[in-house]
Amino acid sequence: MKPAIWLDGSLCDADSARVSVFDHGLTVGDGVFETVKATEGQPFALTRHLRRLARSAEGLGLPEPDLDEVRRGCEEVLKAHPVPFGRLRITYTGGLSPLGSDRGTAGPTLVVALAEASRRPDATAVITVPWARNERGALTGLKTTSYGENVVALARAREQDASEALFGNTVGALCEGTGTNVFVVLDGELHTPALSSGCLAGITRALVLEWVGAKETDLPLDALSRAEEVFLTSTTRDVQGVHRVDTRSLPGAPGPVTAEALRIFTERAAADIDP
């Protein structure tokens, strides 16, 4: 079965789906997106993702997306291509535009696509990278398609047998991963960087804060070298322990705090598909 794609109001398959080479999302990265976990044809926390899509679009100056239309696209794609565990990707761009930074008048492009995904292992390795997140940038806190620095950082992580790269910000504080938020256990207490660090307001991050509890803290990057436990959160990872940070091993990962966070998250998520 070929994956179904929702493109500007209708279903098509991967062979017939076409976006203009002049689409502003392609030429200058003028777009926003969401990745939604789908299990047995059901999207998780879709309402929260749609709200963030709208916030990102507003921050980038894109027209307000029709969230009913986006939801309809998600439903149609999931119905046409049910998978046991998948990554539902919503992409909303500036649409057909002149070459250059000016946005055109043709209106935005909306794409919803679904790909089967692999479930993550209980623990993984991460590295830190020498490049900084800009906590004062125009795109800070927005989930945009301008992902070039994430591509470079993740490639560095893969070279070192890690699945994620973690960034500090311009003042040396711990920020986030290329596609994750990070939590650390210090002296038995659970912490995560505050949004003022420049990190994305992750959906899973927010649910862990609500369901498990943690302190939003300004953390130095070297907190990773002192933490008793480290874990990542993201849409497709849920809560994932970290067994190595750079060359430092954290034996026994996931540790007790991480394991409890995962237990609570799993139970609460199973009880409510759209919390």
Side-chain angles (χ1 to χ4, degrees):
M1 180 188 297
K2 290 184 178 180
I5 295 167
W6 179 270
L7 175 58
D8 289 338
S10 61
L11 279 173
C12 52
D13 61 30
D15 292 334
S16 61
R18 295 289 183 270
V19 174
S20 171
V21 296
F22 294 104
D23 190 279
H24 227 211
L26 172 65
T27 57
V28 298
D30 177 26
V32 297
F33 77 99
E34 287 291 322
T35 298
V36 183
K37 179 176 65 174
T39 306
E40 302 297 342
Q42 295 295 316
F44 178 69
L46 181 59
T47 298
R48 288 180 184 248
H49 281 284
L50 295 183
R51 289 173 182 161
R52 189 173 64 181
L53 181 78
R55 291 196 301 271
S56 293
E58 180 182 16
L60 200 57
L62 290 169
E64 182 179 359
D66 182 341
L67 297 186
D68 289 336
E69 175 77 358
V70 180
R71 190 180 290 271
R72 185 161 52 251
C74 294
E75 291 171 353
E76 292 296 325
V77 167
L78 288 165
K79 187 189 306 180
H81 186 59
V83 295
F85 184 71
R87 181 190 300 265
L88 185 67
R89 163 77 181 230
I90 304 163
T91 308
Y92 184 69
T93 79
L96 187 66
S97 299
L99 290 174
S101 296
D102 286 331
R103 193 174 286 149
T105 59
T109 298
L110 171 65
V111 181
V112 181
L114 178 68
E116 194 159 5
S118 300
R119 296 185 184 274
R120 52 100 184 107
D122 289 340
T124 191
V126 303
I127 66 166
T128 55
V129 290
W131 310 295
R133 285 289 201 235
N134 181 2
E135 71 279 8
R136 299 172 61 193
L139 304 184
T140 299
L142 308 181
K143 196 168 179 68
T144 77
T145 58
S146 299
Y147 245 47
E149 68 177 22
N150 290 333
V151 172
V152 172
L154 190 56
R156 172 74 66 89
R158 298 297 188 192
E159 291 170 359
Q160 298 183 34
D161 295 322
S163 73
E164 181 60 303
L166 301 181
F167 292 90
N169 64 15
T170 64
V171 294
L174 179 62
C175 185
E176 64 179 352
T178 67
T180 63
N181 292 109
V182 59
F183 287 73
V184 298
V185 178
L186 297 168
D187 297 324
E189 291 190 330
L190 186 58
H191 299 261
T192 193
L195 296 181
S196 58
S197 70
C199 68
L200 183 73
I203 303 300
T204 308
R205 173 188 183 274
L207 291 172
V208 168
L209 286 170
E210 292 175 23
W211 293 346
V212 179
K215 293 183 177 180
E216 295 182 89
T217 310
D218 292 327
L219 297 164
L221 190 59
D222 70 5
L224 293 168
S225 67
R226 297 181 283 108
E228 296 114 58
E229 298 178 41
V230 178
F231 67 78
L232 307 176
T233 61
S234 77
T235 291
T236 54
R237 294 178 193 248
D238 291 337
V239 174
Q240 184 182 35
V242 171
H243 63 72
R244 175 170 60 84
V245 178
D246 294 324
T247 60
R248 181 191 177 216
S249 294
L250 287 90
V257 177
T258 303
E260 180 66 2
L262 176 58
R263 183 192 67 78
I264 294 170
F265 184 88
T266 301
E267 288 183 359
R268 294 290 297 266
D272 187 355
I273 197 70
D274 198 19

